[in-house]
Amino acid sequence: MRNITIDNITEAVVKSLGDDVPARNREIMASALKHMHDFCKDVNLTYDEWLDAMAWLRRAGDITDDARSEFILISDILGVEVLVDMLDKKVTDGETVSTVLGPFYRDNPPVLPNGATIVQKDFEGSQSVRVGGVIRDTDGAPVPGVTVDVWEDAPNGMYEQQDPDQPDYNLRGRFETDENGRYEFVALRPVPYPIPYDGAAGELLNYMGHHPWRPGHIHFMIQKLGFKTLVSQIYDSETDYLDNDSVFAVKEELIGEMKPSSGDTDLEMEFDFTIRSDAKLGVAAE
C-alpha cells in the first residue's frame, strides 16, 4: 500500500503479517494491532505522549534484571497477569482457585518436616501463626505426598531477597503432605506491603492515581505428579487492602481466618486445598 492514511494504516500493518507465520501468531498480532491502533485513535494520542511512553518503556527495561521484572510488575498493576491467570487456569472440577505467582518466588526452598517453622529471625511485635490443612482431590479424597512450597513477607514488609538483614530463605519452606493429606507449618502473620514503586511501575501508579499496597498474604505452590500445579495465595481476613489490592489478586475463596491459638503459637489458621487430577480428566499432567 503506497498511500498510507489514518483510515487504512491498520489494514496495511495487519496485511504485512507473513503468509507463513503460525496461525496463533497471526491471531494474536492481528488483534493486538487493531486494538492498539483503535486506542491511539480513541484518545487522539499526541506525538509527545507517544515519545513519553517510549521513554517510559525504556526506563522499565533499564531497571529490569534477573531479580526484578519491571514489565511483570507493570502487567500486575494493569490487572493483566491476574486476567491471563483466570483465562488460562479456569476452575473445571471444583479445585481451589489460583492466583498469580508474584515476583518473589525462589526455587529450591528449604525442605522441612511437617509442622516445622519457616521463621529464621525474630521481629519485635510479630505474631506467630500455625498454618495447616488437608489437600484433597476433586473427589474429596486426601492426597498424600503433595509438595507444598510456601513463602511470605516479613513483618517489615519485605521478602528476604529484598532485605540484606534477613537470613537466606527466611520465611520460605517446602513441605510434603502426610498419609492423611495434611500439611502444617509455623509462620508469621503476614503484613501488607507496597510493591516496588521506585521505577517505571511507580510512575504508572502515580499516573493512575493508585496506591502500591498489597494485603497480607501467604503464597502457596502445590505440586504432585499427575495433578495440575496450583499456585495461590491465602489472605488474612483482618488485613488491610483486601478491597483494593494494588495488583487485583484477591479472591473471596482465598481469604482465611487467623484465630487465637491454644497451642505454642499466637494464632492458628486452617485452610484446605483441592487439586485437580489431570489423569482423571485425560490430559497431560504438569
Side-chain angles (χ1 to χ4, degrees), residues 56-78 81 101-105 161-162 195-202 204 247:
W56 175 73
L57 288 171
R58 178 188 56 76
R59 291 193 293 276
D62 287 344
I63 203 172
T64 296
D65 56 23
D66 290 341
R68 173 172 173 174
S69 173
E70 197 73 356
F71 291 102
I72 290 179
L73 199 56
I74 289 166
S75 175
D76 289 344
I77 292 167
L78 296 174
E81 185 180 1
L101 177 68
F104 298 113
Y105 176 71
Q161 72 262 56
Q162 297 176 289
I195 59 175
Y197 59 96
D198 57 339
L204 177 61
V247 304

Side-chain angles (χ1 to χ4, degrees), residues 7-8 10 24 45 47 57-58 67 79 94 111 116 140 148 161 167 176 180 192 205 209-210 215 225 244 251 260 271:
D7 295 326
N8 66 23
T10 305
R24 180 61 172 165
L45 197 69
Y47 201 81
L57 288 171
R58 178 188 56 76
V111 177
V148 182
Q161 72 262 56
E176 186 174 288
N180 299 311
L205 284 170
H210 198 208
L225 186 64
N244 57 351
K251 298 172 183 178
F271 200 97

Side-chain angles (χ1 to χ4, degrees), residues 39-56:
F39 158 73
C40 292
K41 294 174 183 178
D42 185 47
V43 301
N44 198 25
L45 197 69
T46 70
Y47 201 81
D48 285 344
E49 288 168 335
W50 173 80
L51 282 174
D52 287 344
M54 298 303 101
W56 175 73

Side-chain angles (χ1 to χ4, degrees), residues 20-144:
D20 57 350
V21 298
R24 180 61 172 165
N25 292 27
R26 178 177 296 279
E27 179 184 16
I28 289 172
M29 284 305 304
S31 181
L33 289 165
K34 291 173 183 176
H35 282 291
M36 195 180 310
H37 285 216
D38 284 345
F39 158 73
C40 292
K41 294 174 183 178
D42 185 47
V43 301
N44 198 25
L45 197 69
T46 70
Y47 201 81
D48 285 344
E49 288 168 335
W50 173 80
L51 282 174
D52 287 344
M54 298 303 101
W56 175 73
L57 288 171
R58 178 188 56 76
R59 291 193 293 276
D62 287 344
I63 203 172
T64 296
D65 56 23
D66 290 341
R68 173 172 173 174
S69 173
E70 197 73 356
F71 291 102
I72 290 179
L73 199 56
I74 289 166
S75 175
D76 289 344
I77 292 167
L78 296 174
V80 174
E81 185 180 1
V82 171
L83 174 59
V84 172
D85 180 74
M86 290 188 291
L87 289 169
D88 190 53
K89 299 175 182 176
K90 294 182 178 72
V91 173
T92 61
D93 199 32
E95 67 271 24
T96 300
V97 67
S98 68
T99 194
V100 296
L101 177 68
F104 298 113
Y105 176 71
R106 290 186 66 186
D107 289 322
N108 302 314
V111 177
L112 302 170
N114 246 346
T117 182
I118 61 173
V119 183
Q120 299 183 44
K121 178 181 178 178
D122 292 328
F123 289 83
E124 185 177 355
S126 64
Q127 291 180 290
S128 59
V129 55
R130 183 172 293 277
V131 182
V134 176
I135 298 179
R136 297 182 173 88
D137 63 22
T138 53
D139 291 326
V143 185

